[in-house]
Amino acid sequence: MTTTAHETDSSPIRPDPLITVRDLRVAYDGQDAVRGASFAVAPGRSLAIVGGSGSGKSTTVKALLGLLPENARVVGGEVDYAGERLADLSEGTLRHYRGARIGLVPQDPMASLNPSMRIGDQICDALKQYGMRSKEDRRRRALQLMDDAGIPEPARRFRQYPHEFSGGMRQRILIAIALSGDPELLIADEPTSALDVTVQKRILDHLDTLAEDRGLTRILVTHDLGVAADRADEVVVMSDGEVVEQGTPRGILRAPSHPYSQRLVDAAPRLDAHRRREEAPREDDGGPSFLSIRGLVKDFKIRGFKEPLRAVDDVSFDIRKGTTTAVIGESGSGKSTVARITLGLEKATSGEARVGARAIRPESRDDIRYLRSLTQPVFQDPFSSLNPYWSVAGLIAESLVPRRDLGRAEKRRRVRECLDHVALPQSALGKYPGELSGGQRQRVAIARALVAEPELLVCDEAVSALDVLVQKQILDLLRGLQSEIGVSCLFITHDLGVTSEIADEVVVLRRGRVVEAGPVGRSSTPRRMSTRLLCWRPSQDGASEASSVFGAGGTELTSVTRHPALTHNTTKGEEWNASERGRSPGPERRRPSPQRI
Amino acid sequence: MYQTTATAAAAETSRSPFIRGLQQLARNKLGVIGGLLLLLTVIAAVGAPWIAPHHFAAVNFQIPFQTPGTAGYPLGTDDLGRDVLSRLLYGVRTSLWIGLLSVAVAVGVGTPLGLLAGYSRVADAVVSRLTDVALAFPFLIIAVGLAAIRGPSLENAAIALGIANIPIIVRVVRGEALRISGLEFVQAARAMNISQARILFQHLLPNASSVIIVQATVIIPVAIIGEAMLSFLGLGIQPPEPSLGIMLADAQEYIYRSPWAAVWPGLTIIVMCLGFNMFGDALRDALDPNAR
């Protein structure tokens, strides 16, 4: 009995791996996506596959399941599962293997459930596949599974539809479905990447507990080295279709041997980042406040409810010239509303804003225009923030359109200059967003914002949709630009690690209120429970230290009930505010765009 | 291997989504078939005066109800002994013209209204209520009413059909505009002080173009059939001028004696509709810059 000896580490691997992958090669239309991946997982152990987008990690997993898309082919290597070669199995046997022996928790909880089918029926459907004949049995088992997956009141929830579930809850349902066939191996493909940090932790914890109770073997695919290190016995780092490093989480985090893992480890935002950062030359406290906001309140009317929803409640903060103020909070905390008001996209219900000496009255069109002329936005989603029909040149030049004083040549010169600022080649000018990667698109968005020479950059979750390495590049870029041209920045994020990388001041919002505010150093030893919860990041040392430092979070959130409009659909459970990242349940995104003309 | 594919990809990139769309269209089999069908109808319509063996109104009472294949009358003759092929060719000409004209009216008026309704709440209140009212009337009643007011003629029928289709275009475009104006690039444009007209026509319009095109290809066949009904009621084209609709209506009376007279115009309408629909479908897929 020989085991695959790709172990660089001395971590014990039992002699009989449940699944062994040997030199797996997969090609899409003749182009290699996976170039020789080898690893093995022993029964009851867990393996994490880590890599950036395009590293081939998802393709590897799909190949294991026999779920490759039509244009992809396994061109070499083999996969042994419990002593059998998967390639030798018939499609029928393979179908039985999927689900009954290998469970999959898919990536996107929003797209993976049938929106027109009751939750319970979807679980029962899976059970039927695994040969459970009696309807009554199926129902009982489904309720049990829902209960196991941590769904409160399963009997009532059984009859509900996916839209009545938050993102976290949907992911739990998907976990229940993955477990319904009683598999031995559970594969989770980025199970929490689309969720809020605070929910992420709870889901992953729950998944771990469930899997451990059942003695499941696990493969976790993630782009987050921290998450991987926290939860796996062994980590495989993939880059560009190859396994570049393999070993225990502790080993990789402490002493990454491959340059790519080194970069991954370095790129992860750290809570103590500000300490590593060179202190910016600050005219401390004497610095003039560029924008000051006092007592900001924003109410939203919700159809069917008399009482308006208060999304932002008495928020005050300052942004000093040339510095970055971060507003952080969970989804639904009102942070995006603050950004929209600052951009003049939303009218404040009450409160006072001042730019320098000039007061901005929300009802004055001139004031709003003035505010807009000073600020420029960078939004979260690099895929929807650029008009797909425009070339990069047109996109960047757009923010110069209101500047009638500039000539054509001057505008073109500025666009070119900005491209240099954001480190994009001049050849990018003629490209269209569809041809650019997420990080490149975000650079274009930043260039578009900068070309108008704004006083204030409003970044609404500008790096949240990017993977760690790209995120680091963009943060570095923003920091560099700030010291170069002295633009002020309002940075909206849910990630305290990112905040620590970029911000000078932090405002922590919770349910529309400021719960904590101050310079970054102070806030990173958070005093309030909600700040602490936000702080949760997968620990950097491979153990679950982080969770113990911050205590068992979540108790405070559990008791919260909010505006009836937000609670009547979801249970008053832990995840009242936990929709997927970027789509807050707050009313600001209910209607596509509340406009005023 | 890697190198060559990379350079090939580089050569193909950096074209506007429209041009890339056209290239993609050429690769879509159904779309090409649809395009060929359309080309055929256009050739028939434009070339009618040269291709047609007889004058469309030339009657010959000696030989009514000839079956297809008769010498000199390849598709047979109708109740007045007129050549079906010649009438068919001229009929395609009128029907195509009616279809295009009514689409131009519907899209020309409906698109700006729809964009505005989707972008501005105030405009939405007005435009949407008006379209609701218009949609409350059956499509044909409106068309009949309008055609009756303006008097029977080809252009008036086309305009009436176009106006009757405006609410549908408004609805479709409004929905699309609503979706697009929620996207971040529109939000960004607003935050940049970009004028509303510019947002409407530079941002919303290109992104809504695919649904407009598809809807247009649906309206053309509807208009062709609608014209048949208007003409049947005496509100469209006046005899002896042919249109596919009139031929169909005329043949109805003698359907048992001479079914062929109904088959040809019916078949032609089917071919035209199919052509437009298939081509429109492919065009939509090809113009979507996000789907690749």
Side-chain angles (χ1 to χ4, degrees):
Chain A
M1 275 267 150
T2 47
T3 49
T4 36
H6 279 269
E7 278 304 282
T8 50
D9 212 271
S10 59
S11 90
I13 226 190
R14 281 166 222 169
D16 263 335
L18 178 67
I19 186 162
T20 311
V21 177
R22 262 184 240 109
D23 197 30
L24 181 75
R25 292 162 181 277
V26 184
Y28 283 94
D29 297 325
Q31 245 181 329
D32 295 344
V34 177
R35 295 184 269 161
S38 306
F39 53 85
V41 198
R45 308 274 293 172
S46 62
L47 172 87
I49 306 179
V50 186
S53 38
S55 63
K57 58 189 194 303
S58 286
T59 308
T60 306
V61 165
K62 280 183 192 144
L64 299 188
L65 289 160
L67 288 176
L68 286 172
E70 264 176 36
N71 60 342
R73 236 161 32 88
V74 175
V75 290
E78 55 192 49
V79 182
D80 283 359
Y81 184 79
E84 289 176 281
R85 280 188 58 186
L86 280 188
D88 295 342
L89 299 174
S90 69
E91 181 53 34
T93 325
L94 205 59
R95 193 177 307 145
H96 172 74
Y97 269 48
R98 290 194 292 260
R101 299 189 66 177
I102 308 177
L104 172 72
V105 181
Q107 180 165 14
D108 187 353
M110 297 300 143
S112 301
L113 288 167
N114 182 343
S116 60
M117 207 170 153
R118 294 181 198 278
I119 289 292
D121 293 341
Q122 302 197 36
I123 303 177
C124 287
D125 223 32
L127 289 169
K128 204 167 162 187
Q129 295 297 312
Y130 307 135
M132 201 175 263
R133 288 284 156 75
S134 140
K135 210 172 165 191
E136 207 24 64
D137 282 355
R138 286 205 295 264
R139 190 187 147 80
R140 214 173 301 126
R141 179 91 179 105
L143 288 176
Q144 178 62 43
L145 281 168
M146 285 171 76
D147 196 39
D148 287 352
I151 307 278
E153 299 181 75
R156 187 170 71 82
R157 292 256 153 193
F158 188 86
R159 292 186 50 75
Q160 287 187 326
Y161 289 93
H163 72 264
E164 296 172 85
F165 282 61
S166 66
M169 290 296 219
R170 289 187 215 191
Q171 195 60 61
R172 286 173 189 267
I173 294 295
L174 290 171
I175 291 172
I177 291 176
L179 293 177
S180 63
D182 235 342
E184 330 160 286
L185 172 67
L186 191 68
I187 298 183
D189 187 0
E190 303 254 14
T192 55
S193 307
L195 303 172
D196 229 18
V197 253
T198 49
V199 190
Q200 219 176 59
K201 173 182 162 50
R202 267 172 260 145
I203 299 272
L204 286 173
D205 282 349
H206 199 91
L207 191 60
D208 278 357
T209 324
L210 279 176
E212 260 154 41
D213 287 352
R214 287 158 202 239
L216 294 186
T217 314
R218 276 158 291 157
I219 297 182
L220 173 71
V221 177
T222 175
H223 64 267
D224 192 331
L225 191 58
V227 165
D230 225 13
R231 287 157 205 286
D233 301 322
E234 206 186 325
V235 174
V236 167
V237 181
M238 285 188 78
S239 164
D240 207 11
E242 281 176 87
V243 173
V244 295
E245 190 162 4
Q246 194 164 2
T248 58
R250 226 167 248 272
I252 291 186
L253 281 175
R254 293 248 163 90
S257 63
H258 191 277
Y260 181 78
S261 349
Q262 176 73 53
R263 275 167 64 210
L264 269 184
V265 172
D266 288 347
R270 303 175 67 110
L271 292 181
D272 58 354
H274 63 280
R275 266 174 245 150
R276 291 184 296 157
R277 250 161 63 197
E278 247 175 74
E279 270 312 298
R282 270 209 215 148
E283 52 271 49
D284 226 320
D285 294 334
S289 166
F290 163 67
L291 174 76
S292 86
I293 286 180
R294 291 283 169 273
L296 184 69
V297 173
K298 175 70 189 174
D299 288 339
F300 285 103
K301 276 212 181 86
I302 293 183
R303 207 173 285 179
F305 292 91
K306 239 191 252 160
E307 198 187 332
L309 174 81
R310 184 150 288 190
V312 176
D313 191 2
D314 192 20
V315 167
S316 308
F317 60 89
D318 289 282
I319 303 174
R320 283 174 304 136
K321 231 173 166 42
T323 69
T324 297
T325 296
V327 173
I328 86 169
E330 302 160 310
S331 46
S333 60
K335 58 190 193 303
S336 279
T337 310
V338 170
R340 292 177 59 85
I341 292 173
T342 315
L343 285 167
L345 290 173
E346 207 81 67
K347 209 190 260 182
T349 308
S350 66
E352 198 180 297
R354 260 171 195 291
V355 175
R358 179 167 175 174
I360 303 291
R361 293 154 299 168
E363 64 285 343
S364 151
R365 267 176 94 141
D366 279 349
D367 285 357
I368 293 295
R369 285 189 90 72
Y370 175 68
L371 182 65
R372 285 182 182 175
S373 72
L374 297 175
T375 57
Q376 287 288 328
V378 178
F379 285 120
Q380 170 180 15
D381 183 2
F383 289 88
S384 74
S385 63
L386 303 176
N387 187 340
Y389 282 90
W390 287 23
S391 70
V392 169
L395 285 166
I396 298 179
E398 185 185 16
S399 58
L400 289 176
V401 167
R403 296 285 302 273
R404 301 237 161 72
D405 51 321
L406 299 176
R408 228 157 211 253
E410 170 64 12
K411 284 185 181 178
R412 206 169 306 144
R413 194 188 59 77
R414 288 201 186 186
V415 169
R416 287 180 178 278
E417 200 179 275
C418 256
L419 219 52
D420 289 339
H421 272 312
V422 297
L424 282 174
Q426 295 291 332
S427 61
L429 279 176
K431 298 219 172 184
Y432 288 81
E435 300 163 1
L436 303 176
S437 69
Q440 287 173 324
R441 284 163 182 237
Q442 208 60 308
R443 283 171 194 269
V444 173
I446 293 172
R448 174 177 65 182
L450 287 178
V451 77
E453 296 174 341
E455 299 283 334
L456 176 68
L457 215 53
V458 178
C459 303
D460 189 356
E461 299 273 14
V463 296
S464 310
L466 307 171
D467 74 34
V468 220
L469 287 179
V470 183
Q471 182 175 329
K472 168 145 177 84
Q473 289 167 5
I474 298 289
L475 286 176
D476 286 348
L477 172 73
L478 282 172
R479 224 163 35 213
L481 286 170
Q482 191 161 46
S483 60
E484 210 175 306
I485 54 183
V487 62
S488 317
C489 192
L490 175 63
F491 202 90
I492 311 289
T493 179
H494 64 267
D495 190 331
L496 202 62
V498 168
T499 307
S500 185
E501 293 270 350
I502 189 135
D504 301 298
E505 308 256 345
V506 185
V507 178
V508 182
L509 283 192
R510 170 121 198 281
R511 293 163 65 205
R513 288 187 183 216
V514 177
V515 292
E516 200 164 346
V520 118
R522 188 138 52 85
S523 195
S524 56
T525 49
R527 285 162 299 167
R528 291 286 297 260
M529 179 67 85
S530 65
T531 315
R532 270 190 260 160
L533 256 178
L534 277 164
C535 280
W536 177 79
R537 303 212 101 245
S539 72
Q540 293 292 325
D541 288 321
S544 49
E545 288 152 27
S547 7
S548 58
V549 170
F550 296 120
T555 42
E556 195 183 344
L557 285 177
T558 322
S559 59
V560 171
T561 41
R562 231 184 154 205
H563 190 275
L566 289 186
T567 47
H568 85 292
N569 257 347
T570 28
T571 37
K572 289 174 268 172
E574 38 172 10
E575 281 152 8
W576 58 268
N577 56 358
S579 80
E580 81 280 37
R581 184 163 73 200
R583 202 197 292 172
S584 66
E588 67 263 42
R589 308 236 175 153
R590 282 257 163 108
R591 195 180 186 272
S593 60
Q595 327 279 343
R596 284 166 311 280
I597 296 282
Chain B
M1 175 70 198
Y2 246 90
Q3 282 302 319
T4 51
T5 43
T7 44
E12 205 185 338
T13 54
S14 310
R15 305 234 177 88
S16 107
F18 282 107
I19 294 174
R20 220 173 37 213
L22 286 180
Q23 291 171 338
Q24 206 171 330
L25 191 62
R27 285 197 289 269
N28 185 333
K29 261 184 219 149
L30 278 181
V32 171
I33 295 175
L36 288 179
L37 290 180
L38 285 190
L39 194 66
L40 208 67
T41 44
V42 170
I43 290 174
V46 175
W50 297 278
I51 307 171
H54 300 271
H55 188 263
F56 61 80
V59 290
N60 187 345
F61 293 113
Q62 315 298 305
I63 45 160
F65 305 124
Q66 293 296 311
T67 52
T70 314
Y73 300 93
L75 296 184
T77 57
D78 66 359
D79 55 325
L80 299 176
R82 294 176 294 197
D83 177 33
V84 171
L85 176 61
S86 306
R87 289 183 64 75
L88 208 58
L89 290 170
Y90 278 96
V92 167
R93 197 180 163 95
T94 30
S95 290
L96 198 62
W97 174 235
I98 292 237
L100 294 178
L101 193 60
S102 51
V103 158
V105 171
V107 171
V109 181
T111 303
L113 286 178
L115 288 179
L116 203 61
Y119 182 71
S120 138
R121 260 188 186 173
V122 183
D124 189 26
V126 181
V127 174
S128 284
R129 292 300 79 75
L130 284 178
T131 46
D132 283 349
V133 171
L135 282 169
F137 292 99
F139 157 76
L140 257 185
I141 303 277
I142 295 190
V144 166
L146 288 169
I149 293 168
R150 298 197 34 126
S153 87
L154 188 149
E155 276 75 20
N156 284 348
I159 290 169
L161 289 165
I163 292 175
N165 272 305
I166 289 176
I168 296 169
I169 290 276
V170 170
R171 270 295 166 85
V172 170
V173 175
R174 170 184 174 270
E176 192 66 3
L178 208 58
R179 180 185 71 80
I180 300 161
S181 52
L183 294 180
E184 287 176 344
F185 64 82
V186 177
Q187 302 295 308
R190 289 181 58 215
M192 288 171 189
N193 269 338
I194 302 292
S195 74
Q196 277 172 42
R198 208 179 142 84
I199 290 180
L200 283 182
F201 290 103
Q202 302 267 0
H203 280 299
L204 299 190
L205 186 59
N207 282 285
S209 62
S210 60
V211 296
I212 296 173
I213 287 169
V214 172
Q215 198 56 40
T217 61
V218 173
I219 287 179
I220 289 177
V222 169
I224 290 175
I225 294 167
E227 178 271 329
M229 300 192 214
L230 287 185
S231 298
F232 185 67
L233 295 172
L235 293 168
I237 293 155
Q238 297 306 299
E241 218 175 309
S243 83
L244 296 177
I246 290 186
M247 291 177 71
L248 210 55
D250 286 350
Q252 219 176 324
E253 282 178 55
Y254 311 98
I255 189 90
Y256 291 108
R257 233 185 124 180
S258 169
W260 286 109
V263 167
W264 296 119
L267 216 56
T268 312
I269 291 180
I270 290 175
V271 166
M272 284 175 75
C273 296
L274 213 60
F276 273 115
N277 276 346
M278 276 171 14
F279 186 72
D281 239 25
L283 204 59
R284 185 203 46 202
D285 291 348
L287 286 184
D288 185 355
N290 299 315
R292 288 267 244 132

